[in-house]
Amino acid sequence: MERIVRMRTLTAAATALLLTTAPAFAGGTPSTGSAQLKYKVLATVRAQVIPNYMTGFGPSGGSGSGSTPAPGPAAVLNGGTVDFGSAVVGYQYLYKYAAQINVQTNDNAGFVVYAEGATDLNGSNPVPTPATFPLAQTLFWLVNSSGNTPYSSATSFNRTSGTPIGLNGVNGIDYSGTGGIPSAGSAVWSSAAPGNLSRGFDYQLRLSGATPISQFDVYIVYTVVGN
Amino acid sequence: MKRTNQLALLALGTMAALAVFSQADALQSSKTYKTVYLTVVITPSPAPVVMHRAVPPAEVAPVRGVAVAPGIARLVADPFGGPLQVASSGSAWDVVPSGLMIAQAVTAQPTPVPVRFIAKPDPNAMYLHVIPHTSMLYAGYGTTPFACAYEVFTYYPTTHSLVDWAYGTTNTTATGTYPMMNYPTTSYLSWAVPDLAATFHTFANSGTPGEKTWSGTAGQSQQHCVDLKIVVPNSQPPGSYPAIVQYTLVVS
């Protein structure tokens, strides 16, 4: 990673140059010379996440449940919620084009993208007992591909060990108490190159028979960290 | 009776028999099905641990005198002593710019993605449902058993049977993927219903319809544990491998 402190080095070098030339100014005699300055640009990382990023987004699967899945009302193209709509307990679903993350960085060493749930699944309407249901082994992610199915191999999202910001993590996750970055196991994308890069993800929902009947919500928080 | 009549009668009889058996087949139908999603996680077998008796520390040998360059020794004694070092000295660096490093992670956290679903009851759960217990099968090399990895419940008002097969497998020459493989290669995952029999069976991996797990009489409800046994050959690299079992309730 490019380091901010290297900018300090540039400052130090410039200061040193001034120090060496200061006596010459004091004496009123111009002095010329050359200075070698090596500097590096401050690394920057910017990122955006676009839910439902492509036409055709939405759930499929649930074969044998007797109902046809369809996106819920909160899902809109290029925004909104990854809304699976109604999902039958005991079945599996695939949500195509769930989220696309765009990263812009000048960091020559690349970056890592992490994704975690700000909380477990929060039940409402009706509120189940307990009010939450484990996110792990329920909601999964996989890199978008035309061959993905509700049964494709996928990786589970996990609840963060950081601190949710805002109600249920609506404003993200604070990692200051956990070393500043998410846990290594929550990495979803690692790139060794800089630039303007994008990657799309599908989500998979596996509702075990133990899932309570309720509406569930969770915020998935993406964090990009320069290498 | 003429020979032609006899042949006609034989043909008629054959047709009638075929019709009866075909009807019997048609009377059986798939009521519903459920999938059990398992993940086999192969971890390297633990290395043997040998406990050694604590040995008292040896006497520390006296430190020998080490010749240190005078410049280094002076800097160690007084890091801020002269002469003044500058960042530029001709074409060489006295103070290398990259010498100072402070780790500082550059991060970005865009707006979180809200996810929602409404969990609905399964209308067929009263006939067939699965109660998972162990979906992650952590296994070292060799054979690892999992007692009651999940339970399966069946009920139907008429005679019925439960059928299982390794989802995604076919009867082809392709070997398939670990652990289920494709017939005729034997699956590395096997099952037993200890309530009914202690015998383990490798999962049927030649496509649908699969194999009969158990049968039920009219109105019979039953719920049984399914034990699993996974074999990890030494040639299989560590990692995670999905294994999907589909259970179908066939009713008459």
Side-chain angles (χ1 to χ4, degrees):
Chain A
M1 181 191 300
E2 310 295 348
R3 305 294 180 194
I4 292 175
V5 76
R6 290 180 183 167
M7 296 298 287
R8 295 184 185 177
T9 306
L10 171 59
T11 307
T15 305
L17 181 63
L18 284 174
L19 287 174
T20 54
T21 57
F25 286 119
T29 306
S31 177
T32 59
S34 62
Q36 183 182 10
L37 291 179
K38 290 186 178 178
Y39 68 93
K40 295 187 178 179
V41 177
L42 180 64
T44 59
V45 173
R46 291 190 302 157
Q48 304 83 37
V49 177
I50 305 170
N52 305 306
Y53 64 92
M54 190 176 287
T55 303
F57 67 85
S60 61
S63 301
S65 67
S67 64
T68 304
V76 294
L77 183 62
N78 291 323
T81 298
V82 175
D83 192 343
F84 283 83
S86 294
V88 180
V89 169
Y91 292 87
Q92 300 202 169
Y93 298 86
L94 176 76
Y95 197 106
K96 296 286 288 183
Y97 312 125
Q100 182 187 56
I101 183 157
N102 305 316
V103 179
Q104 304 90 43
T105 181
N106 58 359
D107 193 332
N108 288 325
F111 57 87
V112 178
V113 180
Y114 303 86
E116 292 185 318
T119 61
D120 271 328
L121 295 160
N122 295 293
S124 61
N125 193 26
V127 177
T129 304
T132 61
F133 188 74
L135 176 66
Q137 302 304 313
T138 302
L139 187 65
F140 295 71
W141 65 267
L142 60 171
V143 175
N144 171 258
S145 166
S146 59
N148 286 350
T149 74
Y151 304 108
S152 295
S153 184
T155 306
S156 175
F157 282 114
N158 291 300
R159 186 186 67 182
T160 186
S161 56
T163 305
I165 305 171
L167 181 64
N168 294 327
V170 64
N171 296 321
I173 298 172
D174 176 12
Y175 291 106
S176 59
T178 56
I181 60 173
S183 63
S186 64
V188 299
W189 180 21
S190 180
S191 170
N196 188 351
L197 305 171
S198 298
R199 178 162 288 189
F201 294 93
D202 295 342
Y203 289 178
Q204 205 179 66
L205 187 63
R206 303 178 190 172
L207 291 185
S208 75
T211 311
I213 305 307
S214 180
Q215 173 180 304
F216 287 96
D217 291 272
V218 68
Y219 288 102
I220 299 298
V221 179
Y222 288 84
T223 305
V224 186
V225 179
N227 281 324
Chain B
M1 192 179 289
K2 290 182 179 178
R3 175 171 292 210
T4 51
N5 288 343
Q6 286 176 339
L7 283 172
L9 273 175
L10 184 63
L12 189 64
T14 305
M15 293 288 285
L18 282 173
V20 167
F21 284 110
S22 298
Q23 195 174 15
D25 278 345
L27 287 175
Q28 283 209 325
S29 64
S30 166
K31 174 62 184 173
T32 184
Y33 61 85
K34 289 280 184 296
T35 51
V36 178
Y37 201 104
L38 304 162
T39 303
V40 178
V41 182
I42 300 176
T43 53
S45 302
V49 176
V50 179
M51 309 302 285
H52 291 283
R53 201 169 63 126
V55 177
E59 253 184 57
V60 178
V63 178
R64 289 191 304 154
V66 178
V68 178
I72 301 296
R74 180 169 43 76
L75 280 173
V76 169
D78 181 10
F80 301 103
L84 181 67
Q85 288 191 316
V86 296
S88 174
S89 175
S91 60
W93 291 102
D94 283 339
V95 180
V96 181
S98 62
L100 185 59
M101 295 288 286
I102 297 176
Q104 180 174 342
V106 180
T107 65
Q109 195 176 89
T111 305
V113 176
V115 178
R116 170 176 293 173
F117 64 89
I118 300 172
K120 296 285 188 184
D122 178 8
N124 292 315
M126 62 182 296
Y127 303 125
L128 171 64
H129 64 257
V130 177
I131 301 145
H133 295 303
T134 308
S135 59
M136 304 292 283
L137 308 180
Y138 293 95
Y141 291 98
T143 303
T144 307
F146 297 89
C148 200
Y150 52 88
E151 294 174 75
V152 181
F153 169 88
T154 58
Y155 160 80
Y156 206 69
T158 62
T159 56
H160 57 276
S161 60
L162 181 67
V163 173
D164 70 77
W165 70 292
Y167 180 87
T169 59
T170 57
N171 183 355
T172 65
T173 54
T175 309
T177 55
Y178 182 86
M180 292 306 201
M181 317 310 289
N182 276 332
Y183 184 86
T185 304
T186 307
S187 169
Y188 289 96
L189 189 63
S190 53
W191 62 273
V193 179
D195 287 351
L196 306 177
T199 311
F200 273 86
H201 312 265
T202 55
F203 273 102
N205 59 353
S206 58
T208 52
E211 62 190 334
K212 186 179 289 185
T213 319
W214 66 63
S215 298
T217 57
Q220 181 185 6
S221 63
Q222 47 188 327
Q223 181 172 322
H224 301 293
C225 273
V226 177
D227 291 357
L228 297 177
K229 191 184 287 183
I230 182 73
V231 175
V232 181
N234 290 338
S235 57
Q236 195 66 30
S240 297
Y241 301 89
I244 304 168
V245 183
Q246 180 175 305
Y247 287 95
T248 306
L249 184 66
V250 179
V251 300
S252 302

